[in-house]
Amino acid sequence: MSNRPSKRRRLAVVGEAGAPDRPKLRMRPASEKEFKKTSDALVAEFGTWVAEHGLNVDVDDARLLLDWRFQYDDGVLDVWTVAWVQEFLLCWCPRKLSATAELCADMPGNVAAFVEFLAQTGRLDPASDRPSTIRSWCERNQAEFLREMSDPDNFGMAKSLFAGVGGLQSGPELDDAAIADLAERVLELDDDTVAGILGRVERRNAGVPNTFNPVRIPDIEERLDDVQSAPLLLQVQALAEFCAAPGAPLTEKGHLRLADARELVQMLATGDELEGVRSATELEYLDRVVRIAVTAGAVRRYQKKLVEVKSFGELDILTAHQRIVEAALVSVPPREGVVDWLHDLRLGSSVLLLAALLHTGEDGLDGAELIDILERYVAERLPDPARLVEEMLPVCVDLVLGDFDELGLVEIVPDDEPCPDCDDEHFIAVLTPAGVAAAVELLRGQGFEIPERPDPAGASAAELVALAGVGRPEDWMADACAWLDASSDPSAAQDLLTAVVDGGADRLTLMLAIDAVDETVPEEPAVEAMRSLLDGPGDGFALLWLRERGAVGRSDVAPERWSGAMVDILSVSLDAGGEEELVRSFGIECVPERNELLDEMWRLDHPRVEEVLDVLGARHPDKATAKRARRAAVKLRTRLGQEAARV
């Protein structure tokens, strides 16, 4: 038994003759009571509809969907699109629903069934996506839903704490006694465990992931220039040399003598103002260099002197740099007189922004995005963050970026995109090669999960394909291009495409592989590689590619194969960009070639043709084209029904 209706009914429209007299759903109820009354009635009728159709559907999933829409969104109950379903299934449920993925495995299909129920009972507003579009999306994203439900990085605070004591394990629904037992076990968690759980939640709330796409670590040569010129590294090294035997004398309170401090300000070019200074601790930047150097182990206090640690000087430059990075951004103690929470905020902001920059890769982040991350991060730490945002957070971002710059971790570049809100110049911060490597090591030490992406040049075609779907598609395509460039084998392009097909990769990956071959491989071997896809899962993509280059003529291939090729392309457009992207890919203008395509599509035995026709019929702006698509969809369903009746 499934959660998909076995047959279609004519849609009853509210208000037309013979349509049931049902309450209009488009509402924003004034009270919880009004919503509950409507929701209960709707779910009860859905249960009756489910029984009539013989479906295996948990109607409580519909109740949960409606409750989410009323409590967390706009309260409109008769407009459902892929975007709303996606928000519910891939964002809200993983964050809020305290249940294992296994217990919720049928939820996407149940949601699709509820939308079909709304359509078949005349409740679904025309502004909604087609039920078949939502059904198709739910089926394609079933595995993604299970992954998101299983990923602790998505859990909210309460769900994270319950998960920490095994509260999400499969089993019967929890009664009051079981919930009380879970709460008791949460209270017994040690402080470090609770801090780790809440830290993940805080970072996620600030828009920074706890797990990352695979990162390629730059090689040593790429990193050396940034490391060797990092001002803070040079300052720590110079301070260590200054403290060579017999060492720099310290005052009774353990600070540098003022005379030595004045000399170091000049030697290290700290920029501290010397006029009127009566203690070395008043020299803010020099004091910070000393604290970092001590924390990193470059110098130490010994017998009332600040002395060089020779073992630090024997470290290779990359290891020494990493020690200083971690000291400056994680471990350095606060300056005397600085409020602890301000110091902790600066260090916490450093880790957070470093993680955010690593996550965005070469795209970087602009100043407004960095401030937005910090605003969300401090929201639970300050009594009224809104009053401090305008003045404090930009200063904090500048301080943290200054720290990164002194360590050689970032490059600040002008933002070429014009700002729609002002005429001011804006910047983008991007990690340097040294910054990427340092960030990975530091963040792993802070509990972040950062897998490493191997160099594609030494990988096999199968190993390269195994990375597809992990991380950003454009990164994988760049790897594919690099792999093809590095290969001297003339059959490399064919090997790559074969590995994509044999490995069962999705059609988006196949299109990316084709684009990589198109960009990188000379025409003759590229044509041979594309021919290897014919009559297989990549037939449609290969046919269109070959046709564009004159390697296959229109008359060389049966019309239904050309039509199937177009459905392949259109369905990938739908998956990647939604209904509007499908319409754009098909074309807005009404032209004879597209009309011929629509007239032939209903004859195809293609798994996505019905969905494509439904979208074009509902969304194409040209009325004649939309009507033609709807007519083709009717012919398709008639043909399928007749074929099913003959079986």
Side-chain angles (χ1 to χ4, degrees):
M1 192 178 292
S2 74
N3 54 19
R4 177 194 286 270
S6 57
K7 60 181 180 179
R8 300 175 181 272
R9 298 179 176 177
R10 185 180 70 86
L11 301 188
V13 180
V14 174
E16 75 176 9
D21 184 17
R22 300 185 178 96
K24 185 179 181 182
L25 297 184
R26 179 71 65 83
M27 64 172 188
R28 291 177 177 83
S31 67
E32 193 82 33
K33 182 178 180 180
E34 182 184 346
F35 166 73
K36 187 176 186 305
K37 180 180 178 181
T38 302
S39 175
D40 287 347
L42 194 60
V43 171
E45 188 174 342
F46 179 45
T48 301
W49 182 87
V50 165
E52 290 175 352
H53 285 74
L55 304 179
N56 182 22
V57 169
D58 185 348
V59 298
D60 283 335
D61 287 348
R63 188 185 306 279
L64 189 67
L65 178 69
L66 293 170
D67 188 66
W68 163 76
R69 189 70 179 268
F70 174 70
Q71 301 288 353
Y72 293 88
D73 207 270
D74 59 3
V76 175
L77 305 182
D78 65 342
V79 177
W80 292 98
T81 64
V82 164
W84 265 304
V85 172
Q86 180 177 355
E87 177 71 19
F88 173 71
L89 291 175
L90 300 187
C91 298
W92 186 85
C93 286
R95 176 175 168 80
K96 294 288 188 180
L97 191 57
S98 294
T100 61
E102 291 77 12
L103 287 174
C104 305
D106 294 331
M107 185 174 284
N110 295 342
V111 168
F114 180 68
V115 175
E116 289 163 341
F117 155 73
L118 293 178
Q120 292 191 12
T121 56
R123 289 183 169 96
L124 194 65
D125 189 272
S128 303
D129 285 343
R130 301 278 299 188
S132 59
T133 299
I134 291 176
R135 165 70 66 178
S136 178
W137 183 91
C138 288
E139 291 176 349
R140 293 196 312 273
N141 288 275
Q142 172 77 13
E144 178 70 10
F145 170 73
L146 295 177
R147 282 194 297 271
E148 294 297 319
M149 285 294 294
S150 303
D151 185 356
D153 199 29
N154 295 324
F155 298 173
M157 183 170 66
K159 186 174 179 179
S160 296
L161 290 170
F162 278 137
V165 294
L168 304 185
Q169 299 305 312
S170 299
E173 292 187 4
L174 299 177
D175 55 23
D176 291 344
I179 292 175
D181 178 63
L182 274 178
E184 185 72 22
R185 285 152 59 189
V186 167
L187 292 175
E188 293 173 355
L189 290 172
D190 62 81
D191 291 346
D192 289 342
T193 300
V194 172
I197 291 172
L198 297 185
R200 293 179 67 91
V201 176
E202 287 176 347
R203 292 192 289 266
R204 196 278 320 286
N205 288 345
V208 177
N210 291 289
T211 55
F212 287 73
N213 297 327
V215 176
R216 177 158 300 114
I217 309 298
D219 59 34
I220 292 176
E221 288 73 20
E222 290 181 275
R223 295 149 57 187
L224 275 178
D225 283 346
D226 297 317
V227 169
Q228 290 171 338
S229 60
L232 189 53
L233 172 68
L234 299 175
Q235 289 170 329
V236 169
Q237 290 175 330
L239 175 64
E241 291 177 10
F242 183 84
C243 295
L250 299 175
T251 65
E252 289 295 323
K253 292 185 177 182
H255 305 309
L256 288 168
R257 295 187 310 180
L258 185 56
D260 288 338
R262 289 177 178 274
E263 184 177 347
L264 282 168
V265 166
Q266 302 296 332
M267 180 187 302
L268 306 184
T270 66
D272 288 304
E273 179 60 50
L274 293 172
E275 185 176 351
V277 171
R278 294 189 295 178
S279 167
T281 58
E282 297 176 32
L283 301 169
E284 182 177 347
Y285 193 84
L286 176 62
D287 180 71
R288 175 173 168 78
V289 173
V290 171
R291 285 183 287 117
I292 290 171
V294 171
T295 306
V299 297
R300 67 189 179 102
R301 292 180 174 88
Y302 179 71
Q303 295 184 346
K304 295 185 178 182
K305 292 181 179 179
L306 193 63
V307 299
E308 175 188 22
V309 178
K310 290 187 177 180
S311 60
F312 184 89
E314 294 169 356
L315 297 173
D316 67 84
I317 192 169
L318 294 179
T319 302
H321 178 256
Q322 187 66 33
R323 290 262 195 97
I324 294 170
V325 168
E326 295 186 7
L329 304 183
V330 176
S331 309
V332 64
R335 184 177 173 223
E336 286 186 11
V338 174
V339 181
D340 285 349
W341 70 262
L342 282 173
H343 175 75
D344 292 343
L345 177 61
R346 181 172 179 176
L347 294 187
S349 299
S350 296
V351 172
L352 193 73
L353 295 187
L354 198 64
L357 289 168
L358 182 65
H359 178 64
T360 57
E362 296 178 356
D363 293 337
L365 292 168
D366 63 31
E369 292 168 327
L370 294 168
I371 290 171
D372 179 62
I373 290 170
L374 282 196
E375 180 180 357
R376 286 181 279 168
Y377 177 63
V378 304
E380 298 178 3
R381 289 171 164 74
L382 300 178
D384 189 2
R387 296 180 58 187
L388 296 171
V389 167
E390 186 173 350
E391 295 183 5
M392 177 183 167
L393 294 186
V395 172
C396 189
V397 167
D398 286 343
L399 283 174
V400 172
L401 289 182
D403 294 343
F404 292 171
D405 188 47
E406 291 290 328
L407 291 160
L409 304 183
V410 295
E411 181 181 6
I412 309 298
V413 298
D415 186 353
D416 295 331
E417 292 292 327
C419 177
D421 301 320
C422 68
D423 296 327
D424 296 342
E425 292 185 1
H426 296 272
F427 66 86
I428 294 175
V430 183
L431 289 182
T432 63
V436 171
V440 168
E441 188 168 342
L442 182 148
L443 294 171
R444 282 175 175 167
Q446 295 294 305
F448 289 80
E449 299 171 20
I450 306 175
E452 186 171 340
R453 195 177 196 99
D455 185 346
S460 67
E463 290 169 338
L464 183 64
V465 172
L467 289 173
V470 180
R472 300 186 303 177
E474 58 266 33
D475 291 339
W476 186 83
M477 182 177 165
D479 282 353
C481 289
W483 186 83
L484 290 167
D485 267 336
S487 177
S488 57
D489 187 347
S491 65
Q494 184 170 334
D495 292 343
L496 175 62
L497 296 178
T498 300
V500 169
V501 173
D502 291 347
D506 59 27
R507 292 176 306 153
L508 177 59
T509 300
L510 179 57
M511 287 191 69
L512 291 172
I514 290 173
D515 287 344
V517 170
D518 188 43
E519 286 189 14
T520 312
V521 179
E523 184 169 350
E524 186 174 340
V527 167
E528 290 305 311
M530 292 300 169
R531 289 189 184 281
S532 71
L533 294 177
L534 296 175
D535 298 314
D539 182 75
F541 302 115
L543 274 177
L544 292 175
W545 190 93
L546 292 167
R547 179 182 171 184
E548 287 178 1
R549 286 149 188 83
V552 171
R554 184 175 180 84
S555 60
D556 297 333
V557 177
E560 59 268 21
R561 281 183 71 188
W562 289 122
S563 300
M566 281 303 302
V567 174
D568 284 341
I569 296 295
L570 293 173
S571 57
V572 170
S573 299
L574 178 63
D575 295 345
E579 296 183 349
E580 291 183 2
E581 183 60 32
L582 184 152
V583 172
R584 279 194 293 270
S585 296
F586 182 79
I588 304 301
E589 298 83 7
C590 179
V591 298
E593 185 176 352
R594 296 193 188 107
N595 291 338
E596 292 173 10
L597 174 62
L598 290 174
D599 291 341
E600 292 295 328
M601 282 173 66
W602 67 274
R603 304 178 190 275
L604 297 176
D605 290 319
H606 192 291
R608 304 292 298 277
V609 65
E610 181 178 7
E611 183 182 5
V612 168
L613 287 172
D614 280 343
V615 172
L616 291 174
R619 296 285 179 255
H620 201 285
D622 181 75
K623 292 182 179 180
T625 300
K627 182 177 180 180
R628 211 175 198 107
R630 291 193 296 270
R631 189 166 57 206
V634 170
K635 290 182 178 180
L636 172 66
R637 293 182 180 113
T638 301
R639 178 176 69 81
L640 293 176
Q642 292 171 344
E643 291 174 356
R646 289 196 292 268
V647 175

